[in-house]
């Protein structure tokens, strides 16, 4: 018998995906699920939902909800993290509205940029508290981090908190399938070989071949430029443009990719927004829609007749591989311990990893194409500087992280960036430790 603790279990839909997958996996046998959240109502919704899934699919899980964090963690073998510190209101709204006063626009703001920096700064102190409890209650647990900004949080956990950690994202799993569907190449889905590596939300599809070893990139690029698939790639034009200019397709969506570089969201070139169909303020819009739809969704999720089908999340396969010591390959976020030669050794990178009874075993990649590594390094600069800022509580380090951000630096002067950071420190007061 083993135990899974889910931190942020009020994320009901995500808890359904990861824990529902576990319940539907008979190879796991009997196990305990401990649900933890600070929102008691959402916590109870998740408990009821999972109890119904467990009953409907004859699962063998024992499910219990906790508001006492240490009790939830006690004896855990796996800790799944899906928290959001500060929620949509006030913190996400702040991350978007304050930069707008300076003319700085964003799409998602959860991974990089000024929004990603401050999201990390308010989340890392909570992870420090989690780590303190993990050391006391479950020191050998494997921590599966799903919370963004992925590289900053996972990197901090691995470098400074001494917790066995892997960062997980679903962008790798869907990358190739989505690309084939866009370009009418569905016949290759499940019948190809590919390699992906880089950093979270900016990993690169470095190779893609059919089963006979023929390179599929020339046909992918031909179809992308042909105009025959314009409607299907309409909302992924940024990634396609990056592919044609830098040679390779990357894993995360165009709305994300647009704010990871200095090329697309530019006050001086507003026509780029329309040309590339870049959805400014996309994340707040999604949040408002989810809040508006929650009542209807909630009734469906907690219904006694709730259904579940296996998702594409890595959580359950990781747990199954560790528990049963049967190797399984994922793409995970880990420290770059010589895995990618032309990225910094203290960076958090996204690479193939073999999972077995010993845990996470990252695979060496070698070197990325230099142009891909160069783009990655512009993001890693911000990630590592933000990690340093969180460790030292230094305002100067926060300023420097923002100075280094490709999108922010392309739009604002150094003085304006510093002033923007000061405004965000003030607006987020109460959500951040004291920075000096």
């Amino acid at each position: 018998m083993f135990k899974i603790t889910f931190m942020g279990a009020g994320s009901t839909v995500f808890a359904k995906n990861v824990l529902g997958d576990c319940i539907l996996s008979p190879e796991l046998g009997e196990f305990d699920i401990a649900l933890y959240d600070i929102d008691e109502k959402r916590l109870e919704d998740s408990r009821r939902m999972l109890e119904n899934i467990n009953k409907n699919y004859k699962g063998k899980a024992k499910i219990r909800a906790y508001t006492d964090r240490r009790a939830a963690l006690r004896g855990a073998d796996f800790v799944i993290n899906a928290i959001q510190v500060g929620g949509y209101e006030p913190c996400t709204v702040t991350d978007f509205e304050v930069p707008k006063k300076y003319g700085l626009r964003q799409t998602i703001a959860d991974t990089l940029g000024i929004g990603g920096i401050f999201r990390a700064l308010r989340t890392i102190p909570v992870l420090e508290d989690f780590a303190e409890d993990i050391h006391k209650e479950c020191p050998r647990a494997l921590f599966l981090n799903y919370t963004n900004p992925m590289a900053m949080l996972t990197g901090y956990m691995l470098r400074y908190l001494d917790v066995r950690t892997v960062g997980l994202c679903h962008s790798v799993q869907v990358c190739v399938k989505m690309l084939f569907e866009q370009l009418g190449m569905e016949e290759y889905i499940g019948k190809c070989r590919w390699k992906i590596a880089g950093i979270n939300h900016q990993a690169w599809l470095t190779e893609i071949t059919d089963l006979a070893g023929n390179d599929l990139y020339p046909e992918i690029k031909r179809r992308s430029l042909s105009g025959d698939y314009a409607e299907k790639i309409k909302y992924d034009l940024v990634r396609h443009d990056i592919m044609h200019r830098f040679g390779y397709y990357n894993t995360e969506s165009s709305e994300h990719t647009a704010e990871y570089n200095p090329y697309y969201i530019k006050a001086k070139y507003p026509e780029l927004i329309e040309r590339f169909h870049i959805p400014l303020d996309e994340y707040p819009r999604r949040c408002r829609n989810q809040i508006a739809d929650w009542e209807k969704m909630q009734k469906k999720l907690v219904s006694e007749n709730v259904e579940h089908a296996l998702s594409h999340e890595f959580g359950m396969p990781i747990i199954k591989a560790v528990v049963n010591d049967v190797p399984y390959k994922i793409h995970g976020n880990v420290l770059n311990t010589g895995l990618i030669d032309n990225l910094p050794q203290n960076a958090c990178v996204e690479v193939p990893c073999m999972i077995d009874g010993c845990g996470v075993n990252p695979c060496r990649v070698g070197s990325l194409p230099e142009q891909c590594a160069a783009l990655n390094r512009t993001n890693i600069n911000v990630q590592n500087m933000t990690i340093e800022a969180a460790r030292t509580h230094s305002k100067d380090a926060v300023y420097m992280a923002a100075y280094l951000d490709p999108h922010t630096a392309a739009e604002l002067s150094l003085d304006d960036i510093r002033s923007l950071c000061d405004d965000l420190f003030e607006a987020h007061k109460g959500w951040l430790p004291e920075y000096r």
Side-chain angles (χ1 to χ4, degrees), residues 3-19 33-37 43 46 50 66 72-73 76 78-83 146:
K3 178 177 178 179
I4 306 169
T5 297
F6 197 106
M7 313 295 280
S11 302
T12 306
V13 174
F14 192 68
K16 179 178 185 290
N17 286 344
V18 178
L19 297 177
I33 293 175
L35 305 173
Y36 169 78
D37 205 280
L43 179 63
S46 293
L50 290 167
Y66 296 83
L73 288 167
F78 304 93
V79 179
I80 299 170
N81 181 51
I83 64 169
Y146 280 97

Side-chain angles (χ1 to χ4, degrees), residues 344-356:
Q345 291 300 294
N346 60 351
C348 182
V349 294
E350 193 165 69
V351 296
C353 299
M354 292 302 296
I355 312 296
D356 59 20

Side-chain angles (χ1 to χ4, degrees), residues 288-325:
R288 289 193 298 270
N289 290 340
Q290 288 172 356
I291 292 167
D293 293 342
W294 172 245
E295 185 175 347
K296 184 190 303 182
M297 188 185 301
Q298 187 259 0
K299 289 178 181 178
K300 184 177 180 180
L301 287 171
V302 301
S303 163
E304 291 185 359
N305 300 318
V306 63
E307 297 178 351
H308 184 67
L310 290 177
S311 75
H312 54 239
E313 300 293 350
F314 279 140
M316 177 275 290
I318 289 173
I319 292 170
K320 187 161 64 174
V322 173
V323 168
N324 296 324
D325 195 18

Side-chain angles (χ1 to χ4, degrees), residues 147-291:
T147 297
N148 286 324
M150 177 61 64
M152 297 180 194
L153 303 186
T154 303
Y156 194 93
M157 293 287 291
L158 288 167
R159 287 171 63 181
Y160 296 118
L161 298 184
D162 193 27
V163 173
R164 297 172 68 218
T165 302
V166 62
L168 302 172
C169 178
H170 53 248
S171 60
V172 172
Q173 296 98 298
V174 301
C175 175
V176 169
K177 180 175 182 288
M178 183 179 295
L179 182 59
F180 282 152
E181 288 172 345
Q182 289 176 351
L183 299 175
M185 298 175 70
E186 289 89 349
E187 69 270 23
Y188 293 108
I189 294 175
K191 296 180 180 179
C192 66
R193 296 187 176 94
W194 49 264
K195 293 181 180 179
I196 288 177
I199 61 173
N200 181 243
H201 285 188
Q202 199 184 60
W204 302 97
L205 180 61
T206 58
E207 294 181 22
I208 183 162
T209 68
D210 64 18
L211 295 180
N214 299 303
D215 185 5
L216 294 178
Y217 252 131
E219 181 63 11
I220 288 169
K221 292 175 180 178
R222 185 195 71 78
R223 293 191 184 205
S224 175
L225 290 174
S226 70
D228 296 338
Y229 305 92
E231 193 59 32
K232 286 191 173 183
I233 69 174
K234 179 178 179 179
Y235 296 105
D236 199 25
L237 291 175
V238 171
R239 279 200 290 180
H240 282 259
D241 193 50
I242 289 286
M243 176 178 69
H244 293 299
R245 295 180 186 276
F246 289 91
Y248 298 89
Y249 191 72
N250 66 277
T251 50
E252 192 45 77
S253 63
S254 282
E255 60 265 29
H256 277 274
T257 300
E259 63 182 8
Y260 299 160
N261 59 67
Y263 309 125
Y264 298 100
I265 306 174
K266 303 182 76 64
K268 188 178 177 181
Y269 302 98
E271 68 276 9
L272 294 176
I273 302 302
E274 184 174 349
R275 175 182 164 190
F276 287 98
H277 301 284
I278 296 169
L280 298 175
D281 299 329
E282 174 65 12
Y283 187 63
R285 186 160 45 248
R286 290 180 190 176
C287 291
R288 289 193 298 270
N289 290 340
Q290 288 172 356
I291 292 167

Side-chain angles (χ1 to χ4, degrees), residues 47-108:
R47 187 198 65 78
R48 288 172 59 194
M49 173 193 69
L50 290 167
E51 290 282 14
N52 287 330
I53 292 173
N54 200 41
K55 179 184 69 175
N56 295 343
Y57 293 90
K58 296 180 172 57
K60 297 181 179 180
K62 295 180 181 179
I63 303 160
R64 186 174 175 185
Y66 296 83
T67 55
D68 180 329
R69 189 170 66 215
R70 284 188 61 176
L73 288 167
R74 193 161 297 136
D77 299 283
F78 304 93
V79 179
I80 299 170
N81 181 51
I83 64 169
Q84 182 181 0
V85 178
Y88 168 61
E89 288 182 322
C91 288
T92 295
V93 172
T94 298
D95 286 340
F96 277 82
E97 293 304 315
V98 174
K100 278 185 192 177
K101 296 176 183 177
Y102 290 80
L104 184 64
R105 303 299 301 274
Q106 300 170 99
T107 52
I108 306 294

